Amino acid sequence: MSQSGYKVSDLVKAAGVSRQAYYKWLTHEPTVHDIQDQEILKLVKQLEAQHKHCVGWYYPLSS
């Protein structure tokens, strides 16, 4: 049983993955690409915080 109180078999069924895929994912080593993606995500979150969560939003100050 998982920490959430749900059975692993119920969780993988809801997610549409096999138990084997789930356990493989649990023990996988992150690839270089995974690590780069995490670094990019970290930088994006920093920019969002710096700009009060309006990164990518354009609001003209005058018409």
Side-chain angles (χ1 to χ4, degrees):
M1 189 180 299
S2 70
Q3 292 176 353
S4 65
Y6 296 101
K7 294 179 182 177
V8 171
S9 57
D10 293 335
L11 295 173
V12 296
K13 184 177 180 181
V17 298
S18 68
R19 288 177 64 99
Q20 180 182 7
Y22 168 72
Y23 286 113
K24 184 176 180 180
W25 174 80
L26 274 182
T27 59
H28 87 283
E29 291 292 322
T31 64
V32 172
H33 185 76
D34 292 336
I35 294 166
Q36 290 172 338
D37 281 351
Q38 288 300 313
E39 289 297 318
I40 292 168
L41 181 60
K42 183 178 167 183
L43 293 171
V44 168
K45 287 182 178 184
Q46 286 175 354
L47 284 171
E48 279 187 323
Q50 269 182 326
H51 297 279
K52 300 179 181 158
H53 303 284
C54 62
V55 173
W57 177 259
Y58 173 72
Y59 187 79
L61 297 176
S62 60
S63 298

